[in-house]
Amino acid sequence: MRCRELLKYLSDYIDRDLDASICRHIDSHMKGCKPCIAFINTLRKTKGLLKRQPKAVLSERLRFRLRKLLKKS
Amino acid sequence: MESEAELIIKSKQGNSEAFSSLVSRYEDKIFNLAHKVCVGMPAEAEDVYQETFLTAFKKLSHFREDSNLGTWLYRIASNLCWMRFRKKRGEPVVPLLDQSHHHDDDSDPGSGPIFRDWSDGPEELSRKKALREAIETALGDLPIDYRLVVVLRDIQGLSSEETAKVMKLSVAAVKSCLHRGRLFLRDRLDKVVSS
Ligand SMILES: [Zn+2]
């Protein structure tokens, strides 16, 4: 499998949502291809960064305002 | 504590107290979704949060008890976001290209771009903050359909199947949006690291 063919599988690969046989192809490609290793690591880090983005804090003012509007509606 | 099903029945009869209890179970999630999709527009995020629950209360009679309330609320919120950010009619839709990762284009090995690994270094800490800010900006530049899928999957932690239900897309379409969205974000982060 060439690098370019690999690309379309990489999100499924890092999500572990891929056919075992394709997984094996990618695993064996990865052993010999440094650029692909770097690429997949950075894709994985991108996913990790999204997951760890700080949660938005909902203020008491907004919670209260919504309750008031619901009562009126 | 009353079950969700009981609260839904009471809410359908117009009981706003019961509906407020339901709101309490989902409002942080819905607000986070709105906040992440409405990048840099806190007033819009507040509107989406509020409108989601006002709409839900009004349309609760349409909610089928055999479906999932969380999914239904996410769907309303996603729709409200989509209406705000969709392209106007006639505006060109910019396709997301699978930009990078073509290092084997040439037969000569090693002639393509070198991919950095963003490996941990002494500057890692200041870089983390830069990456967090960069990812926010880049999210804002993603077309709305991709942005919604990335936020639902990778930030809110929904599965591809749940995201498909929220977006009324096929699971394959969700996966494709997610992949292209991640590639776009990865590319932007790579530029930050390389600069
Ligand atoms: Zn490769």
Side-chain angles (χ1 to χ4, degrees):
Chain A
M1 201 185 269
R2 289 172 68 94
C3 305
R4 189 174 261 271
E5 294 164 56
L6 215 82
L7 176 65
K8 66 171 180 278
Y9 298 116
L10 291 187
S11 270
D12 285 338
Y13 183 74
I14 63 175
D15 293 339
R16 297 173 191 284
D17 188 10
L18 204 56
D19 218 64
S21 74
I22 301 174
C23 249
R24 274 197 300 278
H25 276 297
I26 297 178
D27 285 339
S28 78
H29 177 103
M30 288 291 171
K31 277 185 197 133
C33 189
K34 272 192 182 159
C36 273
I37 295 174
F39 191 89
I40 204 160
N41 282 345
T42 52
L43 193 64
R44 215 176 250 134
K45 278 185 188 172
T46 304
K47 181 187 170 185
L49 278 164
L50 286 164
K51 193 176 173 187
R52 291 192 303 277
Q53 280 292 87
K55 293 265 175 292
V57 180
L58 181 55
S59 69
E60 286 308 315
R61 175 185 65 87
L62 279 177
R63 291 180 206 264
F64 182 72
R65 189 173 75 185
L66 175 59
R67 266 66 175 184
K68 238 170 62 182
L69 286 167
L70 283 171
K71 247 181 220 165
K72 268 195 266 171
S73 71
Chain B
M1 204 166 69
E2 280 178 289
S3 74
E4 188 161 295
E6 287 167 342
L7 288 170
I8 290 171
I9 292 169
K10 284 188 182 172
S11 302
K12 279 189 170 180
Q13 293 158 352
N15 183 333
S16 73
E17 294 272 312
F19 189 69
S20 290
S21 302
L22 290 173
V23 170
S24 303
R25 296 180 186 198
Y26 294 101
E27 63 186 333
D28 290 292
K29 284 182 184 170
I30 294 296
F31 183 66
N32 196 50
L33 171 85
H35 185 265
K36 294 295 183 285
V37 174
C38 305
V39 183
M41 303 178 183
E44 294 285 321
E46 292 181 5
D47 273 2
V48 168
Y49 153 75
Q50 191 171 288
E51 265 188 68
T52 296
F53 290 106
L54 291 175
T55 307
F57 192 41
K58 211 166 28 183
K59 297 201 168 163
L60 202 59
S61 61
H62 300 291
F63 174 72
R64 296 203 341 262
E65 263 113 85
D66 59 344
S67 45
N68 182 291
L69 184 63
T71 306
W72 190 64
L73 292 170
Y74 268 135
R75 169 144 190 81
I76 296 173
S78 300
N79 250 329
L80 290 167
C81 290
W82 189 82
M83 303 279 276
R84 279 170 168 73
F85 294 101
R86 73 182 156 175
K87 292 273 173 206
K88 308 280 182 300
R89 206 174 285 188
E91 235 178 290
V93 178
V94 184
L96 278 192
L97 302 172
D98 297 337
Q99 310 92 338
S100 36
H101 198 78
H102 39 242
H103 57 266
D104 63 348
D105 274 2
D106 300 304
S107 48
D108 179 17
S111 64
I114 306 297
F115 285 95
R116 298 158 154 270
D117 210 341
W118 309 352
S119 50
D120 298 12
E123 71 282 57
E124 175 71 358
L125 266 180
S126 64
R127 183 177 282 172
K128 262 184 189 150
K129 188 165 173 278
L131 286 177
R132 216 170 41 225
E133 286 165 4
I135 218 165
E136 229 181 83
T137 316
L139 260 179
D141 292 338
L142 261 183
I144 186 62
D145 301 83
Y146 296 89
R147 201 190 314 167
L148 281 166
V149 168
V150 168
V151 172
L152 287 165
R153 277 288 273 110
D154 281 349
I155 296 185
Q156 302 296 110
L158 268 60
S159 67
S160 291
E161 288 71 19
E162 289 166 329
T163 305
K165 275 187 190 142
V166 171
M167 300 282 298
K168 291 217 169 129
L169 289 171
S170 67
V171 172
V174 164
K175 285 184 175 187
S176 159
C177 274
L178 178 66
H179 183 50
R180 303 178 114 215
R182 281 178 183 167
L183 289 179
F184 176 86
L185 297 176
R186 194 215 71 91
D187 214 53
R188 293 283 293 268
L189 294 179
D190 196 48
K191 290 198 175 83
V192 171
V193 174
S194 309
S195 67

